[in-house]
Amino acid sequence: MAGTLSRSFAGFENEYAADVVIVGGGLGGCAAAIAALRNGLKVVMTEPTDWIGGQLTSQGVPPDEHAQIETAGANQSYRELRTRIRKHYRDNYPLTDAARQNPRLNPGNGNVSRLCAEPRVSLVVLEQWLAPYEESGQLVLLREHVATSADVDGDRVRAVHVRSTKSGDSRVLRGKYFVDATELGDLLPMTQTEFVVGAEARSETNELHASDKANPDNQQAFTMCFAVDHLNGEDHTIDRPAEYAFWRDFVPQLTPPWPGKLLDLTYTHPRSMKPKRLGFDPNGGKSVGGALNLWTYRRMIDRSLFEPGHYAGDVSLINWPQNDYVLGNLIGVSDEEATRHVARAKQLSLSLLYWLQTEAPRPDGGTGFPGLRLRADLMGTTDGLAKAPYVRESRRIKAQFTVLEEHVGRENRSMVTGKPISEIRAAQFADSVGVGSYAIDLHPSSAGDNYIDFQTFPFQVPLGSLLPVRMQNLLPACKNIGTTHLTSGCYRLHPVEWGIGEAVGCLASFALKNNQTPHAIQASELALNDFQKFIRQQGVETAWA
């Protein structure tokens, strides 16, 4: 193996040394770990909750993916993740014959994704994937650990200090490379890595949809997701939440204006910015009176795909416009204030559930769906909400190269090239280390922006966006890469985050094997070509066909 560990792994150890230290066990962290491990590196990875997998597990969100995901526009390992999830259902669940034989099984048949599944299944798949490395000692996985400080020597990180949130014990993690795979870019301020947060001004980026003024406190809403099933004829109404009166009457103060109360089935359509009515009916199909049925939007179990009686009802993940929290940020505030915002976001989500159970309009003219049952067991919590907030925006490194709207946005790119949209594509990056495809999708923000949502071209991930301007051995592997407030909106989704993490894990391996720095690899045409060949041989896609 390329590295050594300072001590055996049995019992408590106060110091570990490995080739790569990954802080954050979300999708980017897991992908970085898998890539580094399969290339022979020793890895230590931390995770603040007891579930690895991030937005797919501890945050509860089925993957947001582009329409071609089954055949193009994702790394081989990401498709393997999807294949393993489907296999877990086939091997362990009483599927109907038709569902079992469907090569593109979608357990929830949700609108949002071709693979809506339970968070626990994704967790099991990821844990089983990493288990052989953990059992052999090549991987140390420190669950329920958070970074507290870092030792830095000039442009290099020497160590990161972490603390167990369960026992309070502290550990020192030493590595040759450090990967920030946290949801909020926690390592950036700790390591004195230059970063940006919030919205840039148009004068800085020349982006068509950028704000007139920079505002670091202008950050997208986060959401406390939850899962429910629906049992006709039963009453599972929760206790009235403490803040229900506030949230029932709350009207977001946004520009352009929100159409009314947040707890309502009318919202702002992200693209047209006009009021749009949604439907809700746990007993209906994918539409209600011609409107999208929110019940099937992120449904993660469609009981009709399983043998009768296995599920009492369908299960839906609630991550809607109605429980986006816009009254405060998790970045740039004290720990106490961040904790307060998370608590209020939980109150919003519970208030949404209570409103659905008691006041939401039914298709039959009545009100309320008391049969909605909060599924705490599926989220692994006691309060029934996800273990962690679903975060859409992070601190972002000041990078060797920053992806701008003109590189990926259709309208902005047409303006800078002087060509019609039909004749152009996204900017092509010679140092591409990944691909993705998603609209720029910014949810309402804490500074009062309504949705910012517009089309992009299928895009690439340039290596320069993964390299800090100064720090030599710290790499981002989540939503903290070199994007802007706007372009982060299309680089933040599940398959792209996975691809970023995989590129970073491969980069650390290639750099150590060839005794080159990541910056030198990007700067040398020969080294860059060799690195791209290296990752393509491992199933990383670097270009769209």
Side-chain angles (χ1 to χ4, degrees):
M1 295 299 175
T4 59
L5 290 159
S6 58
R7 293 176 171 83
S8 72
F9 294 143
F12 173 79
E13 303 293 349
N14 61 9
E15 183 173 318
Y16 296 112
D19 297 306
V20 181
V21 173
I22 301 171
V23 179
L27 283 181
C30 286
I34 289 168
L37 291 163
R38 72 168 181 249
N39 283 291
L41 300 187
K42 295 277 191 177
V43 174
V44 175
M45 183 168 75
T46 69
E47 162 57 34
T49 74
D50 58 344
W51 281 15
I52 60 172
Q55 55 184 325
L56 196 59
T57 60
S58 60
Q59 298 171 37
V61 182
D64 285 287
E65 300 170 330
H66 58 78
Q68 299 173 339
I69 194 68
E70 301 285 4
T71 57
N75 292 351
Q76 179 179 315
S77 64
Y78 184 75
R79 290 207 187 89
E80 182 178 350
L81 170 65
R82 302 170 87 256
T83 297
R84 288 181 180 223
I85 291 171
R86 285 170 167 152
K87 185 177 186 299
H88 185 86
Y89 277 97
R90 293 192 182 98
D91 290 348
N92 298 284
Y93 283 66
L95 295 164
T96 64
D97 289 342
R100 189 177 306 280
Q101 295 168 15
N102 183 359
R104 296 186 177 179
L105 171 68
N106 186 351
N109 272 334
N111 305 56
V112 76
S113 174
R114 287 155 179 77
L115 186 60
C116 291
E118 300 155 283
R120 280 190 179 275
V121 171
S122 300
L123 172 67
V124 168
V125 165
L126 289 168
E127 289 185 329
Q128 290 177 345
W129 202 335
L130 290 172
Y133 300 108
E134 194 172 6
E135 291 166 3
S136 72
Q138 190 182 347
L139 167 69
V140 175
L141 180 52
L142 300 175
R143 298 169 179 84
E144 297 178 279
H145 278 71
V146 295
T148 56
S149 62
D151 293 338
V152 179
D153 182 10
D155 297 339
R156 299 188 65 82
V157 182
R158 295 189 302 183
V160 170
H161 299 251
V162 299
R163 175 179 53 81
S164 167
T165 57
K166 193 172 183 179
S167 69
D169 294 332
S170 294
R171 292 172 167 84
V172 179
L173 310 181
R174 303 190 185 278
K176 298 168 185 174
Y177 282 93
F178 293 83
V179 174
D180 185 344
T182 63
E183 297 297 324
L184 298 173
D186 294 342
L187 284 192
L188 303 185
M190 287 184 196
T191 58
Q192 302 159 43
T193 300
E194 292 80 2
F195 66 89
V196 179
V197 66
E200 298 91 346
R202 188 178 296 115
S203 59
E204 297 176 69
T205 65
N206 291 318
E207 292 175 302
L208 179 62
H209 290 87
S211 303
D212 291 333
K213 295 182 179 179
N215 185 354
D217 295 327
N218 188 16
Q219 301 165 28
Q220 290 182 71
F222 68 90
T223 306
M224 293 304 308
C225 304
F226 60 95
V228 289
D229 58 9
H230 182 253
L231 307 181
N232 276 318
E234 298 185 14
D235 188 345
H236 294 278
T237 305
I238 62 172
D239 293 338
R240 180 184 168 108
E243 291 190 19
Y244 183 66
F246 174 86
W247 291 114
R248 180 190 57 200
D249 297 327
F250 176 71
V251 178
Q253 298 303 301
L254 303 175
T255 304
W258 194 259
K261 294 180 180 180
L262 184 61
L263 299 191
D264 189 84
L265 293 180
T266 298
Y267 82 125
T268 300
H269 185 268
R271 197 65 58 82
S272 71
M273 301 308 295
K274 295 180 179 178
K276 184 176 178 63
R277 187 73 175 172
L278 297 165
F280 181 74
D281 183 4
N283 300 307
K286 292 196 173 185
S287 66
V288 179
L292 171 69
N293 186 358
L294 284 170
W295 178 252
T296 61
Y297 182 52
R298 294 188 188 273
R299 185 175 58 186
M300 55 191 187
I301 287 296
D302 178 352
R303 64 174 171 168
S304 71
L305 301 181
F306 301 83
E307 293 295 338
H310 185 70
Y311 285 101
D314 293 354
V315 181
S316 190
L317 190 282
I318 311 304
N319 171 28
W320 299 348
Q322 290 88 345
N323 58 332
D324 277 357
Y325 180 84
V326 297
L327 293 185
N329 298 325
L330 301 178
I331 300 172
V333 299
S334 67
D335 290 344
E336 293 75 17
E337 184 174 345
T339 299
R340 186 165 63 252
H341 288 313
V342 170
R344 297 207 70 195
K346 289 184 175 185
Q347 279 289 303
L348 168 57
S349 287
L350 292 172
S351 294
L352 171 59
L353 173 58
Y354 187 77
W355 179 81
L356 289 169
Q357 292 172 324
T358 61
E359 297 189 44
R362 297 198 308 259
D364 64 6
T367 55
F369 297 87
L372 291 173
R373 179 174 61 168
L374 189 61
R375 294 296 303 270
D377 56 321
L378 297 183
M379 308 307 287
T381 60
T382 56
D383 62 10
L385 303 173
K387 290 177 177 287
Y390 175 42
V391 173
R392 298 180 176 88
E393 189 163 353
S394 170
R395 300 175 182 90
R396 306 180 295 277
I397 62 167
K398 288 189 177 181
Q400 291 286 328
F401 181 85
T402 301
V403 180
L404 305 175
E405 183 185 346
E406 69 178 61
H407 298 127
V408 296
R410 294 192 180 194
E411 188 178 0
N412 202 165
R413 184 138 186 83
S414 177
M415 290 174 60
V416 299
T417 61
K419 296 180 180 180
I421 291 173
S422 60
E423 296 180 9
I424 55 176
R425 55 180 176 166
Q428 301 299 290
F429 299 122
D431 63 343
S432 174
V433 293
V435 297
S437 182
Y438 206 78
I440 286 181
D441 170 19
L442 272 63
H443 282 231
S445 74
S446 56
D449 289 339
N450 208 322
Y451 285 102
I452 299 174
D453 188 298
F454 52 91
Q455 291 182 316
T456 64
F457 294 105
F459 51 81
Q460 296 173 314
V461 181
L463 178 56
S465 69
L466 309 184
L467 304 178
V469 291
R470 182 180 56 85
M471 297 299 289
Q472 296 297 301
N473 69 335
L474 183 133
L475 299 167
C478 202
K479 295 175 285 290
N480 50 355
I481 68 170
T483 55
T484 65
H485 177 66
L486 291 175
T487 56
S488 67
C490 64
Y491 278 79
R492 66 177 176 83
L493 286 309
H494 302 62
V496 183
E497 182 184 330
W498 180 275
I500 290 167
E502 183 167 15
V504 163
C506 288
L507 181 61
S509 172
F510 188 86
L512 288 172
K513 180 179 179 181
N514 293 278
N515 196 27
Q516 294 176 294
T517 68
H519 292 73
I521 293 167
Q522 197 250 358
S524 164
E525 183 177 354
L526 178 61
L528 176 61
N529 288 340
D530 286 345
F531 175 61
Q532 289 174 317
K533 181 179 179 181
F534 173 73
I535 60 177
R536 288 177 190 132
Q537 288 172 340
Q538 298 188 44
V540 172
E541 292 194 14
T542 61
W544 284 87

